[in-house]
Amino acid sequence: MMPIGSAVRRSLTRVMGRIEGAAQLKTGGNIPRLVAVSKKKSVDHVVSAYEFGQRHFGENYMPEFLEKARDERILREAPEIRWHYIGSLAKSQCKNLAALPNLWMVETISKNAAAKSLDKHWRNQIHGSKRKLKVMVQVNTSEERNKSGCLPAECLDVVKHILGNCESLEFSGLMTIGAQENSVRCAEDPSFTNPDFETLAELQERVCKDFSLSKDQVDLSMGMTADMEHAIAMGSTNLRVGTAIFGSRDDGIYAKESFHEPSTPSPGIAGHLNLNQLVFSA
């Protein structure tokens, strides 16, 4: 057990080492955006990561997100936080979601109705910059019944709807969770090609071709703790990492004083890491 701040800083350094090492092996060497998944974690965890330079945070559960995004300490001590909503999204949730401070991206649009509702409610909010809300289309690449997301065959229709009908939304890319067994196999077998990542990369090509977009305009949100290196090799530009930063989760918010440091290995760490440069990638 160690203080939350110390453990989070050490874990973030290890994660950024893994990301930097994998990016250096890929042509271009661009550093993907790191989204620290803080679900079921306390405000102390969020603030500790923010103080170390992390800016992008992801939340899965709507009730917890509604509370955490409005938390007075986070608003005061993490004023430039960029929240990503990465949980299932229903049309009925869009009004509350659009009203949250510092909402930067919604990664889980999978139906035209949800996109239409979010567009309406974001437009009705008084946001000082009047900026568009970044959104991704979530694709159920493994086509599992228990997974959220549109089917690969439906993806282009949802993208078309956002681009053509949602003036207050900015289409920013594609997201997948994928099958757990594929993620596990990635970690165990370096020669394995994750079919979920492969499908999302193919859909990126089709989206770019059909809607005259560059790859820089279509992010790929794929890769988590177990398979982030493989995801980077397959073209990920947005990683959603929780356990490797904050430790394993239990059924409730962790105690504020301390927690078990993650034991995730950290290959590829070399020299001093400029964490601010790495995590502020747009």
Side-chain angles (χ1 to χ4, degrees):
M1 301 283 282
M2 66 170 59
I4 284 176
S6 299
V8 168
R9 287 191 294 271
R10 183 177 296 186
S11 298
L12 268 172
T13 301
R14 287 179 173 178
V15 168
M16 295 314 305
R18 291 175 62 185
I19 293 172
E20 184 183 56
Q24 288 175 346
L25 297 176
K26 182 174 172 60
T27 303
N30 294 326
I31 304 295
R33 179 190 305 115
L34 172 62
V35 179
V37 180
S38 50
K39 66 180 181 181
K40 295 188 177 182
K41 294 299 175 180
S42 71
V43 170
D44 282 354
H45 290 86
V46 174
V47 171
S48 293
Y50 183 92
E51 289 176 343
F52 196 55
Q54 180 65 27
R55 291 296 178 266
H56 294 268
F57 291 80
E59 287 288 333
N60 295 60
Y61 305 125
M62 187 65 72
E64 180 184 354
F65 187 27
L66 295 177
E67 179 180 351
K68 198 175 287 182
R70 295 189 180 104
D71 182 85
E72 291 184 4
R73 185 182 171 201
I74 289 179
L75 291 172
R76 182 178 65 254
E77 298 184 26
E80 297 179 1
I81 196 169
R82 295 179 171 184
W83 288 113
H84 294 232
Y85 182 63
I86 56 176
S88 299
L89 180 64
K91 177 182 175 182
S92 60
Q93 297 173 314
C94 292
K95 182 177 181 179
N96 287 335
L97 183 62
L100 289 179
N102 298 317
L103 179 65
W104 196 76
M105 179 181 285
V106 176
E107 297 195 21
T108 49
I109 299 288
S110 61
K111 296 182 183 299
N112 291 350
K116 181 179 179 180
S117 179
L118 188 60
D119 176 63
K120 171 188 172 183
H121 292 298
W122 184 259
R123 187 168 58 248
N124 291 340
Q125 294 300 315
I126 301 175
H127 295 281
S129 64
K130 298 295 183 182
R131 68 174 176 86
K132 292 185 176 184
L133 175 63
K134 297 177 182 292
V135 297
M136 291 187 179
V137 173
Q138 182 180 3
V139 185
N140 182 0
T141 51
S142 55
E143 302 191 24
E144 297 171 89
R145 290 185 178 182
N146 63 333
K147 286 281 175 66
S148 299
C150 64
L151 295 175
E154 301 167 337
C155 173
L156 294 181
D157 288 339
V158 181
V159 173
K160 181 179 180 180
H161 176 80
I162 294 170
L163 290 172
N165 300 282
C166 301
E167 295 183 358
S168 66
L169 305 183
E170 178 185 344
F171 170 71
S172 299
L174 307 173
M175 178 268 216
T176 189
I177 296 175
Q180 184 177 3
E181 56 265 30
N182 289 336
S183 294
V184 171
R185 190 170 174 188
C186 281
E188 296 175 345
D189 182 2
S191 66
F192 176 68
T193 298
N194 190 320
D196 294 307
F197 297 166
E198 198 168 37
T199 295
L200 205 68
E202 290 171 355
L203 286 171
Q204 181 194 45
E205 296 278 358
R206 293 182 60 188
V207 166
C208 289
K209 178 180 178 181
D210 286 14
F211 302 106
S212 300
L213 299 173
S214 69
K215 283 191 175 182
D216 290 340
Q217 295 174 289
V218 185
D219 276 335
L220 292 182
S221 179
M222 58 189 195
M224 296 181 282
T225 290
D227 55 13
M228 67 177 82
E229 288 90 354
H230 186 67
I232 292 170
M234 295 288 291
S236 176
T237 55
N238 190 83
L239 300 163
R240 309 181 308 276
V241 180
T243 301
I245 297 172
F246 298 118
S248 59
R249 301 177 183 90
D250 60 10
D251 292 331
I253 300 298
Y254 268 98
K256 294 186 177 182
E257 288 76 18
S258 58
F259 79 113
H260 290 284
E261 181 186 6
S263 57
T264 307
S266 53
I269 300 176
H272 176 70
L273 297 176
N274 185 341
L275 184 61
N276 285 323
Q277 178 182 354
L278 296 180
V279 301
F280 277 109
S281 54

